[in-house]
Amino acid sequence: MNAAMLAFLRRRRPALPLLLLFALATVSRSQSWPPDYGEALAKSLLYFESPRSGRLPHNQRVAWRGHSGLTDGLEQGVDLVGGYYDAGDNVKFGLPMAFTITMLSWGVIEYGEQIAGAGELAHALEAIKWGTDYFIKAHTHPNVLWAQVSYILSPPFVFIIFFSLLFFR
């Protein structure tokens, strides 16, 4: 640490205990005990409705989200509408999506009674179905799985449609 930083910290030291006390008081007030796991589960499953791609169902709870990717695969002659976007960049990566759907399915298998008790089983099953329906569509022929769908904005501001194929032999 340089001398200027040490001098700064020495001048600010009297305010540090007050800042820590304020931070602890704020954290302790904002957290309830015991934690509400039902609310955490509900919010976690609500998250799965925001990165959806395709024509959204009428019971979509994330109101700001609209239909998207309705022509995915059209130029290639396949229907790749649906699934989940990866990170807000309009890219559907098959392998991370498959992992996510697998873990969500495994959670429902292991804790289905508790999820049902919290009133969230229908939302969990709907999230799983949204992903698996996409994978059924992405497996267009024997030994063919469309693994990535993305629209990339290139430097000359032209949309480039990029599709990847994985071949299993």
Side-chain angles (χ1 to χ4, degrees), residues 10-165:
R10 281 191 203 113
R11 286 193 308 269
R12 301 290 182 225
R13 188 170 290 154
L16 188 60
L18 291 175
L19 180 63
L20 289 175
L21 184 63
F22 176 75
L24 288 174
T26 303
V27 168
S28 65
R29 255 192 321 217
S30 65
Q31 293 180 348
S32 63
W33 195 258
D36 186 352
Y37 292 112
E39 181 183 8
L41 177 65
K43 289 180 179 177
S44 297
L45 291 171
L46 178 62
Y47 165 78
F48 283 97
E49 294 187 26
S50 62
R52 283 180 175 172
S53 173
R55 182 164 298 285
L56 302 179
H58 68 279
N59 62 348
Q60 173 81 8
R61 296 180 295 163
V62 179
W64 55 264
R65 186 76 171 130
H67 307 307
S68 63
L70 299 178
T71 60
D72 286 350
L74 184 65
E75 291 183 18
Q76 288 71 28
V78 294
D79 179 11
L80 297 175
V81 176
Y84 291 101
Y85 292 120
D86 188 62
D89 52 6
N90 295 332
V91 178
K92 294 186 277 191
F93 291 109
L95 297 178
M97 190 186 328
F99 175 82
T100 300
I101 298 303
T102 300
M103 292 298 103
L104 186 56
S105 301
W106 191 359
V108 169
I109 290 168
E110 290 290 324
Y111 302 104
E113 290 179 20
Q114 293 87 345
I115 294 170
E120 294 295 327
L121 185 60
H123 294 133
L125 294 176
E126 186 178 338
I128 293 167
K129 186 176 183 332
W130 192 267
T132 53
D133 285 350
Y134 169 77
F135 282 117
I136 290 169
K137 288 168 47 169
H139 182 43
T140 56
H141 299 89
N143 302 322
V144 175
L145 175 66
W146 293 81
Q148 178 180 335
V149 178
S150 61
Y151 296 90
I152 302 169
L153 188 60
S154 67
F157 304 108
V158 176
F159 279 99
I160 299 171
I161 301 173
F162 178 72
F163 294 95
S164 296
L165 284 173

